[in-house]
Amino acid sequence: MWSLPVADPGVADHRSALRLLRWLAGRAGASVAWGSVLSVVWMGSQALMPAVLGRAVDVGLTARDPQALLGWSAVLLGLGLVQATASISQHWFGVFNWLSTAYRTVQLTVRQANRLGATLPKRLATGEVVSIGTADMSSLGGAVEVVARAVGAVVAIVVVAAILLGTSVPLGLVIVIGVPVLMAAVGLGLRPLHRRQQTYRDQQATLATLAGDIVTGLRILRGVGGEPAFADRYRDQSQELRRRGDRLARVESVLEAGQLLLPGMFLVLVTWLGARLTLSGELTVGQLVAAYAYTAFLTGPIRTLTEFLHTMTRGHVAARRVAGLLAITGEFTDPARPRRLPDRDGELVDPTSGLRVAPYQLTAVAATAPEDVAGLADRLGRYRDAEVALAGVPLRELDLATVRQRILVTDNDDRLFTGRLRDELDGTGRASDDAIRAALVAASATDIVDALPDGLDAEVAERGREFSGGQQQRLRLARALLADPPVLVLVEPTSAVDAHTEVRIAARLPAARTGRTTVVCTTSPLLLEHADRVVFVDAGRVVADGSHADLLRTEPGYAALVTRAEPAASTEVAASTEPAALSEVAS
């Protein structure tokens, strides 16, 4: 549905915004319809009250008829009870419509974020997504909620106009002509309001993005002394947001004043005209009282209609941002006729680098440049378009869901999310405690769970901030092992742990992945020693492969890389010292 390209990622056109608003209203169609019916009953019963009050004055008080006064008072009481019941019920539906629309917006954006995956950060700033989940959801919820009340307001105005036209043509014409004039006067301020709301919303997203960057890199900023500079930058952006908010508030304050002033002037006009007609004998006292009550009542529906215009303007701005996010397409699309993988597992081949990963083996990749590792992992997981093939089938000829199901890539940018640790490790919720424990043992992470008061039921804070870098890395490794994909690509899985922990992980990883294909991108001698096969990548290409010990003897570049020695160091020295170093650490 939301596949229209947009010139500016995150901002859709007018039509897309209206389509989204209609779609959201349609999803809440039944509750909006019931809310509209109840709103008509609520405001309609209230609109009839002045007529009943006027009759009570004329046939009860003026004619001094207690029976008639009692009867019309009972009718007035009945209308009041109907109005109160309908008002309470309509409010319930209004809150339901607001909440359902707001959280349906969140569901849409979250699903789109999941579909886009790694594409989303490249196309849209983090702050934009955060603003959609905070400000825009509220604006869209309000836009759908106010529809039902606006329907009731329109019906109430029509009822009042009809009654007044039957009572007095001049008073009726004042209503028929005056209300559209009031709406037109309010509409004059909507265009500048829309423009200023758009600029304010853009600045909100910019500030949210900057705040996220500062929080994420706070340690680095303090380490390099950049905290004051970023604080000044945030202060400047915050002041710019305040200035735009002030400009927006000026327009909104004028509209708010108009919502009070114009109906008040309307009330004065009708009261003056009704008094003149009463003095001339064209209206009775009861009809004058009713006319005044009608006018006082109309301030509510008129205010509701101006609120409708204001809220729909805000909703349109929010809908453009949300529709813009929904219009973003991923970097990769599923082929028209996806191929199926053969039942047997096969090689994973990357022609760009010349890497060939045999099935059911633990293959280690040692690369001289970190960017080569990142590129290789992206290609193997199809986060970058390439000629990679699995079991002879190019990944681009498979649907993306199949690729994600068969190949899991995990690196040190992966995050721990808020929630129970058990749910964080086992996203499917189907793993047994024994399976979770086995994954924790393989990742040497049992001590982390044992130290928590609630164990696996402990709550993980945002981004797992209560855990150290090494603990987070081990928990991420346990999560990847528990997922048990047919092909697992690990990027530097032990870079943040100490040597003793790394020895345990290196020794346990092959057994944990028995019968599965595993690729470990690392330069750690401890992991390389336990690999079934080691591939040496230099300048983005495979230049040698074999066992760790063989490469130490035959490849000076490899020996220099994994022993952190100078390239000129002799191969014999590297080969003779490396096993001794491994033995010492392991012991």
Side-chain angles (χ1 to χ4, degrees):
M1 175 181 178
W2 307 106
S3 58
L4 293 176
V6 292
D8 179 13
V11 182
D13 59 13
H14 174 70
R15 289 185 179 180
S16 296
L18 292 180
R19 287 173 59 198
L20 177 61
L21 284 170
R22 286 196 298 267
W23 185 84
L24 288 171
R27 296 292 290 180
S31 57
V32 170
W34 276 109
S36 300
V37 170
L38 290 168
S39 180
V40 169
V41 174
W42 163 41
M43 291 192 179
S45 59
Q46 194 173 0
L48 294 176
M49 283 184 174
V52 175
L53 183 62
R55 292 296 296 169
V57 170
D58 283 339
V59 303
L61 292 178
T62 305
R64 298 182 181 277
D65 185 348
Q67 288 282 63
L69 179 62
L70 184 62
W72 285 109
S73 297
V75 174
L76 192 63
L77 176 62
L79 286 175
L81 293 175
V82 171
Q83 176 200 353
T85 303
S87 174
I88 293 172
S89 302
Q90 193 280 332
H91 181 71
W92 186 93
F93 276 100
V95 173
F96 177 84
N97 292 335
W98 189 97
L99 290 174
S100 63
T101 301
Y103 289 105
R104 186 169 285 117
T105 301
V106 173
Q107 289 176 338
L108 282 174
T109 55
V110 170
R111 288 171 185 166
Q112 175 70 348
N114 288 336
R115 283 193 293 267
L116 293 175
T119 303
L120 182 59
K122 302 175 185 177
R123 299 288 304 279
L124 208 60
T126 304
E128 181 67 30
V129 182
V130 171
S131 296
I132 287 174
T134 53
D136 292 340
M137 62 172 280
S138 177
S139 298
L140 289 172
V144 173
E145 181 275 331
V146 78
V147 169
R149 290 190 289 120
V151 171
V154 170
V155 172
I157 291 173
V158 171
V159 170
V160 170
I163 293 175
L164 284 180
L165 280 173
T167 303
S168 170
V169 174
L171 286 178
L173 290 176
V174 168
I175 301 296
V176 172
I177 298 173
V179 172
V181 170
L182 290 178
M183 293 298 99
V186 172
L188 292 176
L190 292 180
R191 184 173 293 276
L193 176 65
H194 187 281
R195 185 169 55 251
R196 294 190 181 188
Q197 282 179 339
Q198 184 69 54
T199 58
Y200 181 78
R201 171 63 180 76
D202 292 341
Q203 185 63 23
Q204 269 187 321
T206 301
L207 191 63
T209 300
L210 182 60
D213 290 343
I214 292 174
V215 172
T216 303
L218 191 58
R219 288 185 179 179
I220 299 173
L221 290 176
R222 287 177 175 172
V224 300
E227 188 176 0
F230 267 79
D232 292 340
R233 182 182 172 192
Y234 183 83
R235 188 180 299 109
D236 293 341
Q237 293 290 339
S238 179
Q239 289 301 313
E240 178 61 25
L241 178 64
R242 181 189 61 78
R243 285 189 290 270
R244 294 188 183 187
D246 289 342
R247 289 194 290 269
L248 174 61
R250 292 191 193 103
V251 178
E252 289 186 333
S253 63
V254 171
L255 288 176
E256 288 290 334
Q259 291 177 22
L260 294 175
L261 177 63
L262 295 178
M265 294 172 60
F266 190 64
L267 175 62
V268 171
L269 174 62
V270 172
T271 303
W272 176 81
L273 182 60
R276 299 273 300 180
L277 293 174
T278 302
L279 289 175
S280 64
E282 296 182 36
L283 292 180
T284 65
V285 174
Q287 289 174 332
L288 175 62
V289 171
Y292 176 83
Y294 279 132
T295 311
F297 159 72
L298 282 177
T299 58
I302 291 174
R303 186 175 178 84
T304 299
L305 290 181
T306 56
E307 180 190 355
F308 170 78
L309 295 176
H310 185 191
T311 305
M312 290 303 294
T313 301
R314 294 179 57 191
H316 184 267
V317 172
R320 289 189 66 188
R321 312 301 299 198
V322 177
L325 169 61
L326 299 178
I328 297 175
T329 56
E331 294 177 274
F332 311 111
T333 57
D334 290 335
R337 295 183 178 179
R339 292 179 58 181
R340 296 186 59 182
L341 285 170
D343 295 334
R344 57 175 179 79
D345 292 325
E347 277 190 324
L348 181 63
V349 181
D350 174 36
T352 303
S353 63
L355 176 67
R356 305 183 73 89
V357 180
Y360 315 123
Q361 288 189 359
L362 194 157
T363 302
V365 178
T368 55
E371 57 269 22
D372 291 340
V373 171
L376 176 63
D378 285 347
R379 291 193 299 272
L380 293 180
R382 205 178 178 229
Y383 294 102
R384 183 180 301 179
D385 196 25
E387 300 291 337
V388 176
L390 176 62
V393 181
L395 296 186
R396 60 166 56 126
E397 296 183 13
L398 300 171
D399 62 82
L400 204 56
T402 300
V403 176
R404 298 288 178 261
Q405 184 181 18
R406 297 298 295 267
I407 304 173
L408 174 63
V409 179
T410 177
D411 59 26
N412 292 315
D413 288 331
D414 296 343
R415 297 293 183 183
L416 297 175
F417 298 98
T418 305
R420 283 196 317 166
L421 181 58
R422 180 190 303 275
D423 300 329
E424 176 61 25
L425 297 176
D426 175 28
T428 64
R430 294 192 294 265
S432 64
D433 286 353
D434 290 340
I436 296 175
R437 191 74 181 179
L440 291 169
V441 169
S444 190
T446 53
D447 60 310
I448 304 173
V449 179
D450 293 341
L452 298 174
D454 297 323
L456 289 172
D457 294 322
E459 288 292 321
V460 178
E462 180 189 6
R463 296 193 174 192
R465 61 176 181 268
E466 71 268 53
F467 301 118
S468 67
Q471 289 176 326
Q472 290 190 37
Q473 194 171 54
R474 286 185 281 160
L475 290 173
R476 288 196 297 265
L477 177 58
R479 180 174 62 186
L481 294 175
L482 196 60
D484 195 30
V487 180
L488 175 60
V489 181
L490 301 171
V491 180
E492 295 290 353
T494 59
S495 59
V497 302
D498 60 80
H500 297 285
T501 303
E502 190 173 17
V503 167
R504 291 192 293 269
I505 294 174
R508 297 168 182 172
L509 183 60
R513 291 290 298 169
T514 300
R516 297 293 197 182
T517 304
T518 308
V519 180
V520 182
C521 300
T522 182
T523 57
S524 167
L526 299 174
L527 287 171
L528 294 168
E529 187 184 31
H530 287 83
D532 297 318
R533 174 171 166 262
V534 178
V535 177
F536 178 44
V537 175
D538 188 24
R541 295 289 301 175
V542 173
V543 296
D545 70 279
S547 68
H548 173 58
D550 290 341
L551 291 179
L552 282 175
R553 288 192 302 270
T554 60
E555 284 294 328
Y558 176 82
L561 175 66
V562 300
T563 61
R564 278 66 170 176
E566 294 295 330
S570 66
T571 308
E572 290 80 6
V573 172
S576 62
T577 57
E578 186 62 24
L582 290 175
S583 311
E584 183 178 349
V585 173
S587 62

